[in-house]
Every structure is written in structure tokens, then in C-alpha cells.
């Protein structure tokens, strides 16, 4: 019975993380290419409900730790109340947005609130990090393989997938592809740098990192370049050995040249788009239109700085493509302060990991990648990657040696130790 409970927990936790990240887009890619876009709507909500149920099962199986009185938990509740009040206010005021106001609440609860809550409150097990790691890697790897299977004919022929595949065809978001590739590559490479792996594991990690180049270059997102580079730079700068930092910086420079060379081979425009940011801004290019959207959103915040003014930017009928500006616009200072408290708390924890727990740097890197991603795309209600990655950094007591090695063994000491 003890073993059965552990298997249920492990399967539930792995599956929930798998679909919270790239696995969600694996399903969408399969659906759009095999069944057609019209069927994708039948998968979106059920998958989100499944994720919440799986996290809830994990929570029920092992119980909760005492987090409910900690500042980060209270800050999360305060921000969530501010956001839900904004949704309620617009609903009662008859404000029409690009989707039904009830959908904002449903998406926020299923994408962000409940997953974060269950992860933060449940007791952590040593096996959690192993499951988390391989769920991220396997979901990204499968998405990369499917990207090759379905889009191999356009690889090397266009700078970005959206130039060859329209939204009416077997479409997948370029941002989803690029950020998934970036995330999977980053985790695999950090594991190669920080863990003592068997030859088979090393080969597997190199394979995963290599194949992940496919969605990274197909999506050609400028933000994904930053999200890949910044965690490595912080990891190098915070390394305890200065000599090792120098070697790692040289390796990073060589790796950067390799990425540029691969970009040319793939025919991807990711590097040229990244290098052309300043020119796009000065010329008013449509690819730099986010800056104008940010200005609109900030102006609406200035109109109502305390509580915010709207769920979306009225001039565009959409979110601002920057979660921090969106929090200001939507919840005002009342919601921004607790939200930033959570971000800063998680950032400090991440820097601690880089410096004192380098073998776990990949956990911090997942969070940092999502900080950057949500600075250029995405909305509060769909920021699943950000909230799950924050919870995974915050729920483990990395500062305690006992916490990471001798955590309460819920299913029996031997079995969980074997799983870890």
C-alpha cells in the first residue's frame, strides 16, 4: 500500500509538471496537426483541470507544511485578491474584453493560483526535484521531436515558423516553441555543468540540448535568447571559484558563437532579430510595437495608481505583453507590492542557489527564464510557467542541509530514498 501511494504521488507530480510546461504544447501541436485547429479548444480546459487535480492529489497524499503564516504566502493571497477584485469589478461594470471576463478568473485559478498554492503548501519530498527535472526535460524533448516531424520541410527555409505556417493551418505559437527550446536547452546544459552524470545520462542530456535547438530556432524569439543567456551569466558570476568563473565565461562565449553559427545553418532569424532591436525601435517597426503598448498601459496605471484601471489595454484590446506593467495597470500599487515581494523573494533564493547550491542551479534557471519570458510576452492569467517555477524555488528550504536530504518520509524511508 505504501509503494502504491508513492507511485500515485510520483505519477501525479510528474504528469502535472509535464503538462504545466512544454507538454501542454505537445498536446496542442498533436491536435492542430492531426485533428485540426478547431479541436484544440476541447483540450485546453480539460488539460488545465487535469493539472490542478493532479497537484491536489499530491497535496492530499502527503499533507501540508506550515507556510500559511509566512510572508510570501500572505503576499500571494493579497495579490490574488487584488487581481480577482479587478476581474469582478469589470464583470459588474459590464466591461467587454477580448474574452469573457469569467475566463480570466478560470484561467488564473487553473493556470496560476491553484498550482502555486498546492506546490507551496504541500510537504516537499526529495523525489520532487528529480521528477521536476525529468518532466521539464522530457516534455521539451518531445516537443522538439514533434517540431522536427511536423515542420521539417520548412527548417532552413524561413527565418521564423510564422512566415510559413499561418494561424489557419497547423499552427503553433512561435513564442511557445522558442521559449520551450530555450528552457530545455538551459536545464540540460546546466545539468551537464553541475552534476556528476553517467556517460549515458551525459549523452542523453547532450541529445536533449541539441534537439531543442529545433523549436528554439523555429520560434526565433528575441526574448528566448535573453532567457537562455541571463541564467548562465548569473550562474557564472555567482560561482564560488573565480578561476572556474573565468573558464565558464570563456565556454559561454564559445557557446554563443556556436549558437550564431547554428542559427545560420537553420536559416533562423533569431540572432538577426535580436541584434536589430535598436533599429526596430528607432524605425517604429511593428516588431517593436510592444513599447507603444507599454506606454498605453502605464498611462492607464497613472490614471488610477492605487487600485489599477483595467484588465487589458483599451487601445489594443489585449494584455500589455509585460507582466509587471500589467500588474500595475490591473491591480495598481495595492497588487504590485505583494507581487514584487514574491518575485524578489524568489530571485534572492535563486541567487542563493547559484552561490551555495550550484548542483541545483537548473531550478533557479527555470524561474529566471520565466521572469524574462514574461517581460516580453504572456499575461497574468496564463503565466503558468512563472508561477509553477516560483513555487518550486520557494517551497524547498535550500538553506537547510537537513531539508534537502532528510525531509519527512511520508511513504516510508526506504521507498522515497530510492526515488530520490
Amino acid at each position: 500500500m505504501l509503494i502504491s501511494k508513492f507511485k500515485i504521488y510520483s505519477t501525479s507530480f510528474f504528469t502535472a509538471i509535464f503538462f504545466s510546461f512544454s507538454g501542454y504544447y505537445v498536446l496542442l501541436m498533436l491536435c492542430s496537426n492531426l485533428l485540426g485547429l478547431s479541436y484544440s479548444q476541447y483540450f485546453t480546459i480539460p488539460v488545465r483541470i487535469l493539472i490542478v487535480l493532479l497537484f491536489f492529489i499530491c497535496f492530499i497524499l502527503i499533507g501540508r507544511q506550515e507556510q500559511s503564516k509566512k510572508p510570501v504566502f500572505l503576499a500571494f493571497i493579497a495579490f490574488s485578491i487584488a487581481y480577482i477584485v479587478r476581474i469582478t469589478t469589470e464583470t459588474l461594470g459590464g466591461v467587454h474584453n477580448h474574452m469573457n471576463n469569467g475566463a480570466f478568473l478560470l484561467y488564473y485559478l487553473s493556470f496560476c493560483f491553484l498550482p502555486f498554492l498546492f506546490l507551496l503548501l504541500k510537504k516537499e519530498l526529495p523525489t520532487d526535484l528529480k521528477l521536476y527535472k525529468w518532466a521539464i526535460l522530457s516534455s521539451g524533448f518531445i516537443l522538439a521531436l514533434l517540431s522536427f516531424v511536423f515542420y521539417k520541410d520548412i527548417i532552413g527555409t524561413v527565418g521564423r515558423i510564422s512566415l510559413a505556417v499561418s494561424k489557419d493551418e497547423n499552427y503553433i505559437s512561435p513564442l511557445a516553441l522558442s521559449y520551450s527550446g530555450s528552457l530545455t536547452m538551459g536545464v540540460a546544459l546546466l545539468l551537464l555543468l553541475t552534476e556528476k552524470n553517467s556517460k549515458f545520462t551525459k549523452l542523453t542530456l547532450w541529445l536533449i540540448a541539441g534537439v531543442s535547438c529545433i523549436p528554439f530556432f523555429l520560434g526565433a524569439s528575441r526574448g528566448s535568447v535573453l532567457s537562455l543567456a541571463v541564467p548562465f551569466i548569473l550562474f557564472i558570476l555567482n560561482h564560488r571559484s573565480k578561476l572556474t568563473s573565468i573558464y565558464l565565461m570563456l565556454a559561454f562565449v564559445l557557446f554563443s558563437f556556436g549558437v550564431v553559427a547554428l542559427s545560420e545553418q537553420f536559416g533562423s532569424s533569431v540572432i538577426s532579430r535580436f541584434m536589430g532591436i535598436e533599429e526596430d525601435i528607432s524605425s517604429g517597426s511593428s516588431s517593436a510595437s510592444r513599447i507603444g503598448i507599454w506606454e498605453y498601459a502605464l498611462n492607464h496605471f497613472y490614471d488610477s495608481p492605487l487600485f489599477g484601471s483595467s484588465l487589458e489595454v483599451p487601445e489594443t484590446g489585449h494584455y500589455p505583453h509585460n507582466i509587471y506593467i500589467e500588474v500595475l495597470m490591473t491591480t495598481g500599487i495595492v497588487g504590485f507590492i505583494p507581487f514584487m515581494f514574491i518575485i524578489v523573494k524568489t530571485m534572492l533564493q535563486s541567487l542563493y542557489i547559484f552561490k551555495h547550491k550550484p548542483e541545483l542551479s537548473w531550478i533557479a534557471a527555470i524561474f529566471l527564464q520565466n521572469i524574462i519570458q514574461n517581460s516580453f510576452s504572456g499575461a497574468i492569467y496564463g503565466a503558468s510557467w512563472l508561477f509553477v517555477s516560483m513555487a518550486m524555488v520557494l517551497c524547498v528550504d535550500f538553506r537547510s542541509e537537513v531539508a534537502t536530504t532528510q525531509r519527512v518520509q511520508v511513504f516510508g524511508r526506504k521507498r522515497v530514498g530510492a526515488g530520490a
Side-chain angles (χ1 to χ4, degrees), residues 215-234:
F216 177 76
F217 289 125
L218 274 176
S221 167
R222 288 177 282 209
S224 66
V225 177
L226 282 175
S227 69
L228 182 61
V230 169
F232 278 96
I233 293 172
L234 289 175

Side-chain angles (χ1 to χ4, degrees), residues 82-153:
Y83 187 61
I84 292 171
V85 166
R86 169 55 51 199
I87 295 172
T88 304
T89 300
E90 299 220 348
T91 302
L92 295 176
V95 178
H96 296 287
N97 293 297
H98 86 280
M99 63 181 183
N100 184 279
N101 289 328
F104 283 91
L105 180 60
L106 176 62
Y107 286 154
Y108 179 69
L109 292 177
S110 60
F111 276 68
C112 309
F113 181 80
L114 292 173
F116 183 93
L117 201 66
F118 290 140
L119 282 171
L120 188 69
L121 292 181
K122 82 172 187 64
K123 290 178 180 176
E124 77 263 24
L125 299 180
T127 194
D128 286 353
L129 298 184
K130 181 179 180 181
L131 295 169
Y132 184 48
K133 171 176 65 181
W134 287 107
I136 295 288
L137 291 172
S138 59
S139 63
F141 180 64
I142 293 172
L143 185 69
L145 288 179
L146 291 178
S147 299
F148 176 77
V149 169
F150 291 124
Y151 307 117
K152 59 181 179 294
D153 293 338

Side-chain angles (χ1 to χ4, degrees), residues 178-179 182 221-228 274 369 372-373 376:
S178 196
Y179 281 115
S182 173
S221 167
R222 288 177 282 209
S224 66
V225 177
L226 282 175
S227 69
L228 182 61
F274 181 79
Q369 285 219 21
I372 296 166
Q373 175 185 345
F376 300 99

